[in-house]
Every structure is written in structure tokens, then in C-alpha cells.
Amino acid sequence: MLLEGKAWKFGDNIDTDVIIPARYLSTSDPAELARHCMEDADPGFPGKVRPGDIIVGGRNFGCGSSREHAPLAIKGAGVSCVIARTFARIFYRNAFNIGLPILECPAAVDGIRTGDRVAVDTASGTIRNLTTGEEFAAKPIPPFMQEIINSGGLIAYVRRKLT
Amino acid sequence: MGMTITEKVLARAARRDRVAPGELISARVDVVLGNDITAPLAIREFRKIGVDRVFDPERVILVPDHFVPNKDIQSAEQAKEMRDFAREQGLTNYFEIGRMGIEHCLLPEQGLVGPGDVVIGADSHTCTYGALGAFATGVGSTDLAAAMALGETWFKVPASIKFIYEGELPEWVGGKDLILHTIGDIGVEGALYQAMEFTGPAIENLSMDGRFTMANMAIEAGAKNGIIAPDGRTIEYVRGRAQRPYEIFQSDPDAEYARVITYDVSQIEPQVAFPHSPDNTRPVTEAGQVEIDQVVIGSCTNGRLEDLRLAARVLMRHRVHKNVRLIVIPGTQEIYRRAMDEGLLAVFIRAGGAVSTPTCGPCLGGHMGVLARGERAVATTNRNFVGRMGHPESEVYLANPAVAAASAILGRIAHPNEVT
Ligand code: SF4
């Protein structure tokens, strides 16, 4: 998958309450959730983000609750990919399960600023900062996760397994 | 080479002789759990799989606890979606208001989880059951949906960190303080992707309620699971409750650990985690003058009977400070009833506190005590992220029930010794 968009950078330990506060969890509609995505970190974010844009986080991105509403809100906002130094593990699983590509790459996090244009090849893990011309190699996605992605997410994977 | 308890539990569930950290395994699950926030999403995904029935109607457990009693129409619709599914599937373990509790207090109490189990729940604090010697971890709704259909899921076997707690616990120091101190030491990503194994004489002397508190907060250090090997206390707890046979595992003496960390608990004071991170801890005596508006005693971390007893001991013959709202929320209906029989609820009510039916409520800023801009709360809960209990500019300070009760009396963060 080839992705391209503008980067929005956030810090370390961006937790699920920041990604989508619990006060909005009485729905699981991605469009509705997207309206409040990241608003406790940057109130203007839902209005500024454009389809294809890329979130760049620091360490432990997505820590906190198991709410799948967090990757759903990000995906619903049109974000095509999240790059971070490390991800919290439940968020990591959830993102793959719902089909939001995420990549761990500390070098890319250092080399990308908010506003840079970034291109990502999820298959090879290559991340390019089109603004600066720098290129980074992300940790490859484990083969098992690739299988889930290739099936079209976990549900499709299970359906195939059961039929 | 020996194995850790986490590896042994996972190996059994994977029907293998041994597993090693880093391996991807497919394992059967003994229990899959959802709540009123995560289950509706899982149910919709489950429908897409194209199977009619869940793998086992006794092992798919649904608990409405986050926004119940329903806080608004949307949350009522969500709860109903789960209730309808529970009826349709004939789930034996669905718990309605008046019989329910916060899921992580309820499942051990009802004997629905036991030693040696593998449990996944679409709630991050599913790690609580590690206190029984189970492997329990949080997942998302899609993982839950797949496991509801298959009765199995995949795991990457985590490496383990061994924590050894030496020495004797000082007065007013309990499981909450040990885990806050630990998270303060290793940080909120200190155990990322790893198992936290709690051992040592201080753990042996810790009550089951205190152990649940510790395992509950393993996720706050980024851990995949927290675990305590079963001992006499564990067996005493599960005897008479367990609804299924269970199996006891212990770590081998030559098991391999990523790290071994030792603490002398006799040096640990009651802890407070300052905003906005559970690792921002300091001893309560170094809290300074922090005036507060609200105190919440409850949640899956500290809403158990021992917690309420501790809070009542401090609040006895005192009144809640005029500027403070004290909200006490027993973790389950059974805890609520026993707290009533023991006269604990009377202590809270006489002191000028409010007592609620079991619910997550304010813990996640849902209802029953949401904070306004600029307000501060001391809570016995597990997270103090930005906006966790309400307005993004409100603040949550995490502490044990005795500190919370003392703070309610004095209107500022306080040590229990100041009022007893
Ligand atoms: S009490 Fe709080 S932490 Fe525990 S399950 Fe409920 S919302 Fe989650």
C-alpha cells in the first residue's frame, strides 16, 4: 500500500483518552468519533486534518484503554497511517485488526516535522520525507500480521478460517 | 531451561510443552469478556464473521458496567444491544444492574476466572486476574469478536520482568502503593509488551484484594499482563467460588527473566500519582498543599471490601470537608451488600459522603462525578490522564483508599496519620 500525506506530530505517551476521550464513547461511529479525534492534545486537529494525512507520535503511542474507538477515530479522521517510536500493545493489535497501518520507526520520528509531506510504502516499510528528501526504513511488519492485513483485517481472516 | 508462570500458562493453552518469549502462538481462551462500551462493537464484528453462535455461552461473559445505570439515551442503546445479544445467545454470565459489578471485581468474586486460566477481555484492566495466577490481558473489540467465534486467539509470548518485594509493609501502605511506586520507578512504558511477575515476602503477606490492585495496574506500566503465582491465600480465595476446575502453575527456579527488580517495601510510603500520568508518583508526605474538590473511592483498582474497610476506618468519627464531594462506589453488588451489613456505608453517609450502586462512573469521566474545568480530584482509580475524569483542564491524583479518605476530611491531599 502506498500512502502520502501531511505529517502531524505529537509527543510521547499519547494515550487513548487523548485520542478519543471517554465522554464521546457512547457511540462507535467512526465519523462521529473522528470529530473529536486528538482534541484534548490539539483542539483544532479534527478541523485541520485532511484525508491521507499521517500522524507521527513518540514513544508508547496509544497507551491506556483497550478502546478500539481510538484507532477507529484516527481512521475515521482520514489519517492513512501512524508512525511512532513504539506503540502500546493493545493499540498495536487493534490498529491491525481494523486495518489502520502503523509503523515503528524512531529515525523517521526524529526526521519528520509537522507540515512535512510524507510518503509510506507499507509493504517494504519505507518512509520518505518528501519535504527534506530523507528516507527511513521501518521495522518490518511481522509475517503473521501481514497475513491478517492481506486477508483484509481480522474478521475476514477468521471468516476464511471458519468456512 | 525453566519457564515462568506466564510461559507455562500460555504453553498449556497452546497445547504445547513449552513456549519461549517472542513466539507467536495460537491459544484457546477460557473466558472472553466484554463490557457495554466494547461489546457492541464486537457484536457487530461478530455478525460479519457469519457464524450463528458463540463458541461457548458460559465462557463469553458480558458485563454492563461503564455507563450503567444508563447515563443517556445513546448509552442505553449500547447497553440494550449487548443485553439483546446475551439473550439471543443464551449467555449464562450476563449481569444486570442490581446483580452486577465492575467486571474486574465481579469475575474473580463469582469464581468465573481461576488459576491457570487464559482470559482475554475487551478492557485493558483484564490484567487484574493475573492476581489469581491466570494469564489475562486486554484486547480490542475485533479481537473479542474473533475469540467469541473461535474460542481461541493469538498471542506473542511476552518476556517477563520479575519484581521481588522484600520486607514488611508499613502502616497505611498496601498494594496500591507498591504498584504506584513500581510504575513510578520503571515508567509508563517500563514493561511494554512484557509480563510483570510480582513475587517476594511482601506479596505473600498481601491480601487477595491488595494483589488484585497490583495486577490491575500492570497495564499502566505498558505490560501485557501482571501475574502472581498462586499460594495458600489464592487457593483459600478460589475454594468455594471456582465454577470450573483450575490448575496451579509456578515459575521454575531457573526461569529466564528480562530483568529482576527488588524493592524493600519497608521504605515505601503511601504514594500519590500526580497529573497526568500514573508514573508521576511521589510519597504523600511530599505532596505539598494540594486543595481538592472531589474524592472518588471505588473502581476495579480499589473498590473491594478491604478498600472500603480502610476508608471507613479513616472516616469514622469525621466529616467530609465542606469543599469536598466524597463519592464512594462499591465494586460489586456483593461488596455493596457486605459493606452495608458491616456498617461501612453508614460511616460514609454519616460523614457526608455519597454512596453509589456499582459502576465505573467517574473513573473514566463517564458519569456520577465528572469534573469541571480546573477541578481536582483524589481518586483510588488507576489512570490520571488528561481529561480522564472530565474536563481536559481538570486534574486527578491517584492514591490508596486511606489517603483518599484522609484527603476528603482535610480538603487537601493528606496522610491518614493526620486524622487518625
Ligand atoms: S473502573 Fe475504571 S478502569 Fe476499571 S473497568 Fe471501569 S472504567 Fe475501566
Side-chain angles (χ1 to χ4, degrees):
Chain A
M1 218 184 302
L2 296 170
L3 310 167
E4 190 185 320
K6 195 166 123 178
W8 298 95
K9 211 165 162 186
F10 294 89
D12 290 338
N13 299 310
I14 292 293
D15 60 70
T16 50
D17 280 273
V18 163
I19 299 171
I20 183 72
R23 55 185 180 275
Y24 304 119
L25 293 186
S26 40
T27 177
S28 52
D29 172 20
E32 183 73 24
L33 295 170
R35 248 175 263 155
H36 306 288
C37 182
M38 308 299 279
E39 74 172 26
D40 285 359
D42 175 1
F45 184 77
K48 294 186 293 198
V49 64
R50 294 285 166 266
D53 283 0
I54 290 168
I55 286 181
V56 179
R59 290 178 307 168
N60 206 18
F61 188 93
C63 60
S65 95
S66 67
R67 63 187 70 149
E68 211 158 281
H69 308 67
L72 278 176
I74 291 175
K75 200 179 171 200
V79 170
S80 64
C81 174
V82 182
I83 301 166
R85 279 181 210 283
T86 55
F87 289 94
R89 57 159 290 277
I90 305 178
F91 183 91
Y92 188 84
R93 275 182 96 109
N94 288 346
F96 279 103
N97 287 345
I98 65 142
L100 173 69
I102 61 176
L103 290 169
E104 286 190 342
C105 187
V109 173
D110 289 332
I112 297 173
R113 280 161 315 175
T114 290
D116 289 353
R117 284 211 70 81
V118 176
V120 175
D121 179 350
T122 55
S124 65
T126 312
I127 300 168
R128 279 196 303 140
N129 186 334
L130 303 176
T131 307
T132 63
E134 267 185 291
E135 193 170 300
F136 313 96
K139 259 198 225 168
I141 295 169
F144 183 80
M145 304 298 249
Q146 296 270 19
E147 209 182 317
I148 291 175
I149 292 175
N150 293 342
S151 308
L154 183 67
I155 292 302
Y157 174 79
V158 172
R159 197 189 302 138
R160 223 180 48 187
K161 198 166 161 172
L162 284 178
T163 52
Chain B
M1 179 55 65
M3 286 196 287
T4 66
I5 176 169
T6 293
E7 289 153 15
K8 286 185 183 179
V9 174
L10 285 175
R12 175 172 161 272
R15 299 173 194 88
R16 304 210 348 212
D17 291 337
R18 53 182 309 120
V19 296
E23 272 186 278
L24 283 166
I25 57 164
S26 179
R28 55 132 193 77
V29 288
D30 294 288
V31 168
V32 299
L33 166 73
N35 61 48
D36 52 319
I37 290 183
T38 56
L41 207 58
I43 291 164
R44 274 169 248 159
E45 294 303 310
F46 176 82
R47 303 264 189 233
K48 291 184 200 158
I49 295 173
V51 288
D52 294 334
R53 318 297 306 175
V54 298
F55 82 103
D56 184 338
E58 286 179 18
R59 291 166 186 259
V60 175
I61 301 180
L62 299 181
V63 184
D65 58 359
H66 279 60
F67 290 162
V68 299
N70 306 135
K71 71 165 181 145
D72 54 21
I73 293 170
Q74 273 183 322
S75 61
E77 297 289 349
Q78 285 198 139
K80 181 165 185 300
E81 197 174 339
M82 186 162 106
R83 179 180 305 116
D84 289 348
F85 182 78
R87 287 192 189 149
E88 168 203 305
Q89 295 285 324
L91 303 190
T92 36
N93 294 305
Y94 166 77
F95 297 86
E96 201 56 89
I97 297 165
R99 282 141 281 171
M100 54 73 87
I102 299 170
E103 51 199 300
H104 310 309
C105 298
L106 187 69
L107 266 57
E109 174 196 284
Q110 297 294 317
L112 293 168
V113 291
D117 278 356
V118 170
V119 182
I120 61 167
D123 190 276
S124 59
H125 293 101
T126 301
C127 55
T128 308
Y129 318 130
L132 294 167
F135 174 87
T137 193
V139 297
S141 296
T142 302
D143 272 321
L144 178 65
M148 288 198 308
L150 294 173
E152 59 176 61
T153 192
W154 64 271
F155 297 111
K156 189 160 156 195
V157 179
S160 297
I161 306 177
K162 183 178 188 171
F163 294 88
I164 307 170
Y165 298 86
E166 306 271 13
E168 232 173 279
L169 285 173
E171 203 190 6
W172 306 119
V173 175
K176 182 62 160 289
D177 306 292
L178 297 188
I179 191 66
L180 282 177
H181 177 80
T182 305
I183 297 165
D185 181 42
I186 67 172
V188 289
E189 52 166 353
L192 198 62
Y193 301 120
Q194 294 177 313
M196 294 173 88
E197 187 175 326
F198 306 114
T199 71
I203 301 298
E204 280 160 37
N205 288 326
L206 199 61
S207 66
M208 281 313 297
D209 283 2
R211 295 181 188 184
F212 285 122
T213 303
M214 290 192 72
N216 174 269
M217 289 191 71
I219 178 71
E220 261 54 70
K224 180 166 201 153
N225 66 309
I227 199 160
I228 297 173
D231 60 7
R233 248 174 232 251
T234 322
I235 292 164
E236 196 185 312
Y237 181 89
V238 294
R239 190 182 295 140
R241 294 177 200 265
Q243 301 203 11
R244 277 181 290 111
Y246 53 88
E247 205 172 329
I248 307 277
F249 294 96
Q250 305 282 342
S251 292
D252 292 323
D254 59 344
E256 208 176 328
Y257 292 93
R259 286 165 84 186
V260 177
I261 300 172
T262 306
Y263 299 112
D264 176 1
V265 305
S266 65
Q267 301 303 314
I268 295 176
E269 272 189 59
Q271 301 284 307
V272 178
F274 272 53
H276 290 283
S277 184
D279 64 2
N280 190 13
T281 55
R282 57 184 92 163
V284 63
T285 49
E286 291 168 24
Q289 184 73 21
V290 181
E291 288 179 7
I292 56 169
D293 306 281
Q294 180 167 299
V295 170
V296 175
I297 298 174
S299 86
C300 60
T301 314
N302 284 118
R304 296 184 181 80
L305 196 58
E306 181 185 277
D307 301 314
L308 301 185
R309 284 184 187 144
L310 200 58
R313 196 175 125 206
V314 175
L315 275 158
M316 188 99 62
R317 289 182 288 279
H318 283 288
R319 291 200 58 80
V320 173
H321 190 275
K322 64 177 176 20
N323 294 342
V324 174
R325 292 114 41 188
L326 168 66
I327 300 168
V328 182
I329 310 179
T332 67
Q333 188 80 2
E334 175 65 11
I335 295 167
Y336 196 17
R337 186 188 63 74
R338 291 187 61 182
M340 185 176 69
D341 291 349
E342 288 185 20
L344 308 179
L345 302 188
V347 172
F348 302 133
I349 292 167
R350 242 181 253 130
V355 179
S356 157
T357 193
T359 180
C360 293
C363 171
L364 78 163
H367 61 149
M368 295 294 299
V370 174
L371 299 174
R373 181 200 298 265
E375 287 192 322
R376 291 200 192 103
V378 171
T380 66
T381 57
N382 47 42
R383 288 195 175 131
N384 56 353
F385 301 154
V386 170
R388 176 71 179 179
M389 199 172 273
H391 196 280
E393 285 164 45
S394 61
E395 293 181 349
V396 178
Y397 296 76
L398 306 175
N400 77 31
V403 170
S407 305
I409 296 164
L410 294 176
R412 59 171 171 80
I413 294 179
H415 193 291
N417 281 345
E418 296 181 58
V419 292
T420 54

